[in-house]
Amino acid sequence: MAKNDGPRSRTCFVTIGATASFNDLLSNVLKPKFLEALRGAGYTDLLLQYGTEGKTIFEKFLEDEKLGKNYNCNLRINGFAFNKKGLGQEMRAAKGENGAAEGVVISHAGSGSILDALRINVPLVVVPNPSLLDNHQIELAEELADMGYVVHGDLSDLEACIQASEQLRLRQKEWPPKGDVNGRSDRGLAGVMDDEMGFLD
């Protein structure tokens, strides 16, 4: 058997969703402190789904990197606006395929993206978008974190979320949860989310 001396690839996939911009999340995951935290945790790749407005942030990072103003910490950094086929391929890359090590998904707190990540049982950091008014993102992130399914991410300290995701990996729970003593039944992902939060977006 051939010996492979190269490191196994490990992907952090960041998604802001398809409807609202989340420039603060994109800016923070491109900061040196966060990139250093990724590299220190053994990550090789950072993949960003940046939406429409985020393209400017991403392209400026790449331009500054070429000019030596940014340091990528020896990470392969790639991005795209949208994928009309959904984000399954990107989520599976973070899960680890074809010999790759399992990574992490960092997501806005939209229920669709959360459910996609939970379905494949990949460690998930959920970061609510504070700029959205009258939304339930914070409550959703807090509830799922309290239940032990996700890490509730904070824009001011995303580096800590990488370490927290490693702890989550060690105690990863099966999704969807089975019925419990409070009478919740295993009615599928939408049913569980509806039971826990009383809504779906």
Side-chain angles (χ1 to χ4, degrees):
M1 184 174 179
K3 184 178 178 182
N4 183 1
D5 292 326
R8 295 171 68 194
S9 63
R10 192 180 197 197
T11 298
C12 171
F13 173 50
V14 179
T15 174
I16 67 161
T19 55
S21 62
F22 199 174
N23 292 343
D24 286 342
L25 177 57
L26 293 174
S27 296
N28 278 284
V29 299
L30 289 171
K31 287 182 177 178
K33 275 181 65 176
F34 181 78
L35 299 178
E36 289 167 3
L38 277 184
R39 193 61 188 162
Y43 283 84
T44 59
D45 294 78
L46 173 61
L47 178 60
L48 306 174
Q49 181 267 314
Y50 50 69
T52 303
E53 291 184 23
K55 183 177 182 180
T56 302
I57 295 172
F58 181 68
E59 290 183 345
K60 185 177 188 314
F61 174 85
L62 295 181
E63 181 181 333
D64 287 348
E65 183 185 358
K66 289 179 181 177
L67 295 173
K69 296 179 182 178
N70 283 332
Y71 178 52
N72 66 10
C73 296
N74 293 317
L75 293 166
R76 292 183 292 261
I77 301 175
N78 294 290
F80 62 98
F82 299 104
N83 186 342
K84 293 180 180 179
K85 296 180 179 178
L87 300 176
Q89 179 179 344
E90 291 79 13
M91 296 272 187
R92 288 190 299 274
K95 175 66 178 172
E97 290 187 331
N98 302 318
E102 185 176 66
V104 67
V105 172
I106 299 177
S107 174
H108 71 122
S111 59
S113 297
I114 290 172
L115 291 173
D116 284 345
L118 290 175
R119 282 185 185 110
I120 64 171
N121 204 32
V122 62
L124 174 62
V125 176
V126 176
V127 185
N129 187 341
S131 69
L132 298 180
L133 300 176
D134 299 321
N135 76 90
H136 302 280
Q137 289 200 354
I138 293 175
E139 292 91 340
L140 181 58
E142 288 176 346
E143 185 69 23
L144 289 173
D146 287 345
M147 293 170 65
Y149 291 101
V150 307
V151 173
H152 179 187
D154 185 340
L155 282 172
S156 66
D157 193 9
L158 289 176
E159 301 78 38
C161 296
I162 298 303
Q163 183 59 43
S165 73
E166 295 303 315
Q167 297 302 314
L168 177 65
R169 190 185 320 280
L170 297 176
R171 53 181 169 76
Q172 195 91 27
K173 290 186 175 182
E174 178 186 358
W175 185 274
K178 305 301 180 190
D180 64 17
V181 295
N182 295 320
R184 289 187 296 245
S185 60
D186 185 3
R187 298 187 288 109
L189 297 170
V192 171
M193 192 70 77
D194 195 45
D195 283 343
E196 291 301 327
M197 302 306 300
F199 62 86
L200 277 173
D201 66 14

